[in-house]
Amino acid sequence: MGRGKLRIYLGAAPGVGKTYAMLSEAHRRVERGTDCVVGFVEHHSRPRTEVMLHGLELIERCELEYRGATFTEMDVDAILARRPAVALVDELAHTNVPGSRNAKRWQDVEELLRAGIDVISTVNIQHLESLGDVVETITGVRQRETVPDEVARRADQIELVDMSPQALRRRMAHGNVYQPDKVDAALSNYFRPGNLTALRELALLWVADRVDEYLQEYRGEHNIRSTWQARERIVVGLTGGPEGRTLIRRAARLAEKGAGGEVLAVYIAASDGLTSASPKELAVQRTLVEDVGGTFHHVIGDDIPDALLEFARGCNATQIVLGVSRRRSWQSVLSPGVSATVARESGPDLDVHIVTHDEAAKGRGLPVARGGRLGRSRIVWGWLSGVAGPALLAVLLTRLVPDLGLANDMLLFLTFTVAAALLGGLVPALASAAFGSLLLNYYFTPPLHRFTISDPKNIVAIAIFIGVAVSVASVVDLAARRTHQAARLRAESEILSFLAGSVLRGENSLTALLERLRETFAMQSAVLLERAGEVSPWTTAAAVGTSPVGRPEDADVDLPIGDDMALALTGRVLPAEDRRVLGAFAAQAAVVLDRQRLLDEAAKSRELVEANRIRTALLAAVSHDLRTPLAGIKASVTSLRSGDVDWSEEDRADLLEGIEDGADRLAALIGNLLDMSRLNTGTVVPLIRETDLDEVVPMALGGVPEGSVLLDIPEILPMVAVDRGLLERVVANIVENAVKYSPHGQPVIVSASALASRVELRVVDRGPGVPDEARDRIFEPFQRHGDAPRGAGVGLGLAVARGFTEAIGGTLTAEDTPGGGLTMVITLPVVGDGPPVAPELPTSAIT
């Protein structure tokens, strides 16, 4: 049985019509004869959505008991037993109630897919894990329910259900999304036009990136090298010169003209020299590229025009922006330059923009290093100088100045040999020396027009000519080789300097390092593999690029790093001279991986140190604060059991009251200790539900004396998304603390008010207050303010209160009370995204 296919309807916000679109697709499939069932669909009392359920087979939901309430969830077992062809599962990011088969609904969907059942589901863009921080910045609401991006990216089909913000707000105003009593609050908070526009942009960009991934995958599978102009990608060719800033800004303006335009700046370090590049200028240009929203790439290529075109086609670019050459006019005689070559060879699928600038035709400032790897045009010119040049010279000399003299003739022929060495290297120069000697023998050495020499002096002269020509050619070629080696070593030193700098800067991004490696050697993918032992399978520590391999044997280039680690690259076979730099990258990758793991171990060590600190403080608290009420209880019980004293009823009542007070203090202290332990171990996971403050706050005041608290909770406050039990504990701890410090006859005031997308609950006392420097310290475990009354507890009440507040998505801060005292401010999120549901909960968690 093959794996089922997943189709996701993605929306920017609730109410855009995802569920409606899903049900419409289900009806179309049923009409075509497909076996389709409704595994779980939440219509939220929307009439039009509810009507769409008619005519579809519904799988009954299972009922679960949790904290005295009954909840319904999708029955995975029933769907697996029914085995339909297609199952509809709404709200992919939903968190199941504890006791369910899986903690998250997307895990239920994974089970159905593994069973060969196709699934159609829905999700909002704000529920994707990677966008949680962005959505919180935009809307001010942290999404507790999320789905991993990888789950959504693995979907076989993703369809965007789009709607303009204005249309969605009209739909809400007509009561088609929420109940009428919630419409005004929703429109003025979460569903503001700006929020909806930003969320819509997020959804469009995310889907566009996903489409781009599909396109790149398809092009790679079918080996398509030509450019498909589905999206404007503009490549900027940089030389490290000052004109680069002009080119980047021009490319940014071109990108702005097309929706979704992307700028990729590339600097190609040719192996025949880097002398024209200014590292400082390149750093400035890299910052400028990032400021305009583009990306900077550094690659190595022997032939700059070919490397630039290869890079552009590899990233499916549509345009290339280059600057007018900075070379002098006379330098164009030898070579047309990079810009002209790229424009000529770009083909019909790439538009090349050649931009003028202030540095045009002013010269490069530094000579370009000559290399041993010569381009095709240089080799052609070398052969022409070495072969055609001497032939043409022989014709001119025999026709115009036949009596110039053998010595002068040799010097003229030697000139073309040197030119051939400078342009084409050693081979054309040797050919020129041999061909020139034959021409000298035939045309200028008696007897003429014969390959014989009658005068021995001429034989010596010809031999000297050949020796000088070969020597000059060898020296020139050796100089070119040394220049090439120096340029290559300089390129390698820049890379090694980058690696050393990353070590000193403490950079720990293994993915970024592998991406730099892949770009440097122009590879398709780079992956760091490791294994536990020689017979253990290889596992991927980190990978970049497309189609990374899973074993070193499958790679085009593999470099062992010790016995149980290897660096594997695909794309092409690298020459042996590149192995040195590749080895430096491999060593650095191993160092970064070790550093990441050391940092993780250091973080765990810090947690252990903190746990030991808390454990030490706990022992100190137990030795004193818990012993005090125990001593009182023990003394009272001993007194009551004593037969030597005849206690009166009033005395007995006092002793019993002392026992009860001591037991209450012990219960409160132990409760706080247990709560702090749960916070430290991360087992406090809230059950978020819609809640009215006027239902929770009064219940939290049961432990304070009557008349010591004044309540001011308006009934018109919006509902908050909190865990009722945790919020009750938070309020109880804060109010009890405030009552302890409030003067006699000054009640504590508990008031609430709404502000934008949050509700603030304030607990105001008229006590001595807390200095500014001690405000943060009072929320730490086992900390009590200096003038705390003796026996007031172990200093956990406020620490537990802050921990529980942050667990339910709120904040707890302290501020001065006007006129003296301390005010605790609890900020809670209001309900703004439909009925909240429980977040991910382990079955053992109890709040």
Side-chain angles (χ1 to χ4, degrees), residues 610-632:
E610 179 65 17
N612 286 333
R613 187 187 69 82
I614 293 177
R615 187 179 297 110
T616 302
L618 175 61
L619 292 174
V622 170
S623 65
H624 179 271
D625 294 273
L626 296 183
R627 182 181 298 174
T628 301
L630 280 175

Side-chain angles (χ1 to χ4, degrees), residues 16 54 64 148 165 177 282 313-314 342 394-395 429 462 720 747 823 827:
V16 296
H54 296 167
L64 297 170
V177 180
L282 277 178
R313 293 190 175 103
V342 170
V395 173
I462 294 295
V720 293
T823 298
T827 304

Side-chain angles (χ1 to χ4, degrees), residues 68-119:
T70 302
F71 302 91
T72 60
E73 293 289 0
M74 181 173 68
D75 194 335
V76 180
D77 291 325
I79 299 176
L80 292 175
R82 171 66 173 76
R83 298 196 65 80
V86 180
L88 307 185
V89 181
D90 205 2
E91 298 180 353
L92 185 63
H94 171 78
T95 301
N96 296 329
V97 172
S100 300
R101 184 186 185 92
N102 294 300
K104 304 286 288 187
R105 183 163 294 163
W106 63 263
Q107 295 171 327
D108 296 337
V109 169
E110 283 293 317
E111 280 201 48
L112 299 181
L113 294 173
R114 287 196 297 268
I117 301 173
D118 293 347
V119 176

Side-chain angles (χ1 to χ4, degrees), residues 527-563:
V527 57
L528 184 63
L529 302 171
E530 61 177 354
R531 59 184 178 181
E534 293 184 357
V535 297
S536 301
W538 290 96
T539 59
T540 300
V544 296
T546 58
S547 304
V549 297
R551 300 183 308 168
E553 307 88 80
D554 301 331
D556 295 321
V557 179
D558 71 283
L559 187 66
I561 310 173
D563 296 331

Side-chain angles (χ1 to χ4, degrees), residues 518 522-526 546-549 554-557 568-572:
R518 188 185 69 84
M523 303 300 285
Q524 181 180 356
S525 68
T546 58
S547 304
V549 297
D554 301 331
D556 295 321
V557 179
L569 297 92
T570 59
R572 63 189 179 94

Side-chain angles (χ1 to χ4, degrees), residues 399-717:
R399 297 288 180 92
L400 299 179
V401 283
D403 300 324
L404 188 61
L406 182 60
N408 293 328
D409 294 337
M410 287 183 176
L411 290 176
L412 291 175
F413 276 91
L414 185 60
T415 302
F416 281 97
T417 301
V418 173
L422 291 173
L423 293 175
L426 182 61
V427 176
L430 294 178
S432 177
F435 186 57
S437 64
L438 292 176
L439 292 177
L440 285 170
N441 183 10
Y442 189 82
Y443 286 104
F444 305 103
T445 305
L448 301 179
H449 307 298
R450 292 183 182 181
F451 290 105
T452 58
I453 302 174
S454 59
D455 190 349
K457 295 180 180 179
N458 292 335
I459 296 176
V460 174
I462 294 295
I464 293 174
F465 168 78
I466 295 174
V468 170
V470 172
S471 300
V472 170
S474 300
V475 170
V476 172
D477 182 72
L478 180 61
R481 290 177 181 273
R482 291 292 182 264
T483 304
H484 162 68
Q485 292 174 358
R488 180 173 183 84
L489 290 174
R490 179 173 178 177
E492 292 181 0
S493 67
E494 280 198 356
I495 296 173
L496 296 176
S497 175
F498 160 79
L499 294 176
S502 65
V503 173
L504 295 176
R505 292 189 297 269
E507 295 177 357
N508 298 315
S509 177
L510 185 57
T511 302
L513 180 66
L514 292 180
E515 183 64 29
R516 177 66 182 268
L517 167 64
R518 188 185 69 84
E519 290 182 356
T520 298
F521 293 101
M523 303 300 285
Q524 181 180 356
S525 68
V527 57
L528 184 63
L529 302 171
E530 61 177 354
R531 59 184 178 181
E534 293 184 357
V535 297
S536 301
W538 290 96
T539 59
T540 300
V544 296
T546 58
S547 304
V549 297
R551 300 183 308 168
E553 307 88 80
D554 301 331
D556 295 321
V557 179
D558 71 283
L559 187 66
I561 310 173
D563 296 331
D564 301 319
M565 191 176 294
L567 184 65
L569 297 92
T570 59
R572 63 189 179 94
V573 178
L574 293 178
E577 56 190 350
D578 288 333
R579 303 283 290 191
R580 178 171 51 187
V581 177
L582 185 61
F585 270 106
Q588 178 66 6
V591 170
V592 170
L593 181 61
D594 289 340
R595 183 185 294 135
Q596 287 181 348
R597 291 173 175 171
L598 288 175
L599 288 175
D600 293 339
E601 293 178 3
K604 293 179 181 178
S605 298
R606 287 193 295 269
E607 293 177 1
L608 292 176
V609 170
E610 179 65 17
N612 286 333
R613 187 187 69 82
I614 293 177
R615 187 179 297 110
T616 302
L618 175 61
L619 292 174
V622 170
S623 65
H624 179 271
D625 294 273
L626 296 183
R627 182 181 298 174
T628 301
L630 280 175
I633 293 173
K634 176 67 174 178
S636 298
V637 171
T638 302
S639 299
L640 287 173
R641 295 187 60 186
S642 174
D644 299 335
V645 181
D646 186 12
W647 302 103
S648 65
E649 291 299 326
E650 183 178 354
D651 293 335
R652 287 179 179 274
D654 290 340
L655 291 173
L656 291 173
E657 183 179 358
I659 294 173
E660 184 177 8
D661 289 343
D664 290 340
R665 287 177 58 191
L666 280 176
L669 292 174
I670 293 173
N672 280 333
L673 288 172
L674 292 176
D675 289 339
M676 181 53 60
S677 175
R678 292 166 58 207
L679 286 171
N680 288 332
T681 56
T683 57
V684 176
V685 185
L687 181 64
I688 304 297
R689 288 288 184 268
E690 294 181 353
T691 304
D692 284 321
L693 283 182
D694 56 2
E695 296 178 358
V696 177
V697 176
M699 299 181 63
L701 306 181
V704 299
E706 186 175 355
S708 60
V709 178
L710 293 180
L711 281 180
D712 181 16
I713 310 294
E715 296 182 356
I716 61 173
L717 285 177

